[in-house]
Amino acid sequence: MVTWSAPGRVTLVGEHVDYNGGPVLPFAIDRRTQVTIRRRADLRVIVTSQGVGTAEISSPLCPGSDSGWERYVAGALWAFSVGARRDVDGLDIDIASALPTGAGLSSSAAIECAVLCALNDLSGVDLTPRQIADLALRAEREYVGVPCGPMDQYAVMLAEVGHALCLDSGSLDTEQVPLHLDAAGLTLLVVNTRVRHALGDGAYGDRRTACEQAAAMLGADSLRDVTVDRVLGLPDPVLRRRAHHVVTEIARVRKVVRLLRSGRPGEIGALLTASHRSLSDDFEVSCAELDTVVEAALAAGALGARMTGAGFGGSAIVLCRSAESAVVADRVFETFETSGFREPDVWPAGPAAGARRQTR
Ligand code: GLA
């Protein structure tokens, strides 16, 4: 029997950039998904998720054949069998998660990575964290069917305490960038709006297609290498806005990384807010609740705020001085109440560890 846990992530900045070859800057949060795997005497694979239910994984594993919550587990099993060339028959898999699903906090990558880590350990295969991230990515793309970039799986596997992970999503090079919020008197709040997002519903894929079309019209392999001036010359207004978000977001990531490297986390707020406005206006993936978090937090004195994750609901992050975090959180709660929105879930988050083995 082995037990592994994997964290959720927030994107500090660099949203909808990872399928355009640019740099992204996520960090892991201390809400985790724990997976325990035991061998069974028969060939069945039974998955139990606390508070959700029990399911049997269909055999043989076949992309597209599972549609419920268990498809993330099935996808990880499939990726392991394909990538590590090992049979995965005869397992009991228990899942306990403190990570809300559909909240833009990467619960799917957490479950895929935790299952893969546990299988790797149980089978003695010795895959590296990067190999596991790549297999988790295959599970999400090829089995679950979401055309995502590599950010979530790499963040979940490679994140380190006290650091954001700068991932070059083209080369997959990584750099651990110090993010010491406490020492700078800063607090980063996560605000889960409880508006559930679903990436499988097509809007995510549409954004990706638009970016690819814009790059193709500009004669580029990806938007990573395109300048703002060239983007502004695109004749189609929708493609122009989508591409404008991506190239300006890449510039924001680079600026935030420079500020963090020189120990100035208190100066990144305006860049986070600019990222949100770009996602809302140009990329059109925000929603009323996410915009409300940002405007309410800024009105109460936050240094910066933005939606995090793919959007269409989910969560926002708010950077504020620690002394003001209670006032900022209260303003978000009040504004949600007066707007008739569901009460959000708000908590402080700092950069946490990536996937790890749990001691018994
Ligand atoms: C989802 C995807 C990621 C990334 C983000 C948006 O989380 O899984 O690959 O594209 O959306 O930045």
Side-chain angles (χ1 to χ4, degrees):
M1 179 180 99
V2 294
T3 299
W4 279 73
S5 77
R9 66 96 191 89
V10 294
T11 316
L12 188 59
V13 68
E15 217 68 83
H16 288 278
V17 163
D18 67 342
Y19 50 82
N20 288 296
V24 294
L25 195 63
F27 68 83
I29 58 174
D30 213 4
R31 291 208 173 177
R32 309 179 69 88
T33 296
Q34 183 167 300
V35 170
T36 298
I37 300 191
R38 292 178 204 81
R39 291 200 189 282
R40 285 174 63 96
D42 58 20
L43 297 180
R44 300 168 71 197
V45 178
I46 309 289
V47 192
T48 303
S49 181
Q50 273 177 29
V52 179
T54 297
E56 179 157 3
I57 301 293
S58 54
S59 177
L61 291 161
C62 175
S65 63
D66 308 85
S67 58
W69 56 270
E70 70 276 13
R71 67 192 186 283
Y72 300 105
V73 178
L77 297 172
W78 170 81
F80 189 76
S81 67
V82 172
R85 295 197 188 80
R86 290 285 181 108
D87 290 339
V88 291
D89 304 322
L91 300 171
D92 276 321
I93 303 179
D94 291 330
I95 301 168
S97 187
L99 205 50
T101 57
L105 300 174
S106 213
S107 61
S108 55
I111 196 167
E112 290 154 355
C113 289
V115 169
L116 279 159
C117 286
L119 280 173
N120 185 44
D121 192 358
L122 192 73
S123 325
V125 175
D126 222 14
L127 297 170
T128 65
R130 278 174 181 271
Q131 286 173 319
I132 291 178
D134 289 335
L135 290 181
L137 193 53
R138 287 193 68 179
E140 185 75 33
R141 282 183 182 157
E142 297 174 43
Y143 200 96
V144 179
V146 176
C148 63
M151 173 170 72
D152 301 350
Q153 292 76 10
Y154 272 70
V156 166
M157 289 308 301
L158 302 181
E160 289 182 8
V161 176
H163 294 81
L165 180 79
C166 185
L167 170 71
D168 179 316
S169 49
S171 65
L172 297 178
D173 286 345
T174 54
E175 177 191 344
Q176 299 289 345
V177 182
L179 179 61
H180 301 305
L181 298 168
D182 282 356
L186 300 171
T187 295
L188 190 136
L189 299 172
V190 178
V191 181
N192 175 7
T193 64
R194 300 184 204 254
V195 177
R196 287 180 62 83
H197 80 164
L199 297 193
D201 69 2
Y204 181 88
D206 289 349
R207 295 302 184 283
R208 183 175 181 145
T209 305
C211 292
E212 287 164 358
Q213 284 172 349
M217 287 182 80
L218 294 167
D221 288 340
S222 76
L223 290 176
R224 172 199 175 102
D225 305 315
V226 169
T227 60
V228 178
D229 285 351
R230 292 190 63 212
V231 163
L232 292 176
L234 278 166
D236 181 294
V238 174
L239 294 189
R240 191 162 63 230
R241 288 205 304 277
R242 304 294 186 252
H244 188 257
H245 163 71
V246 174
V247 297
T248 58
E249 186 78 348
I250 288 172
R252 285 185 285 272
V253 174
R254 297 204 164 112
K255 283 184 192 157
V256 170
V257 168
R258 277 199 295 275
L259 286 168
L260 294 182
R261 273 193 204 127
S262 50
R264 292 153 65 194
E267 294 172 42
I268 68 173
L271 290 161
L272 304 190
T273 305
S275 166
H276 181 80
R277 303 230 195 280
S278 174
L279 285 157
S280 185
D281 300 342
D282 280 348
F283 219 64
E284 296 178 280
V285 291
S286 188
C287 64
E289 290 83 351
L290 289 167
D291 292 344
T292 298
V293 176
V294 171
E295 300 314 329
L298 293 174
L303 301 173
R306 59 181 294 274
M307 52 157 276
T308 193
F312 320 106
S315 300
I317 54 172
V318 175
L319 182 71
C320 46
R321 289 181 200 88
S322 300
E324 290 165 11
S325 66
V327 171
V328 170
D330 282 350
R331 180 73 71 91
V332 171
F333 281 118
E334 283 159 24
T335 313
F336 263 53
E337 199 179 340
T338 51
S339 306
F341 298 151
R342 275 183 80 186
E343 187 180 335
D345 187 14
V346 182
W347 71 95
R356 63 180 181 221
R357 193 173 210 268
Q358 301 292 119
T359 46
R360 264 168 247 161

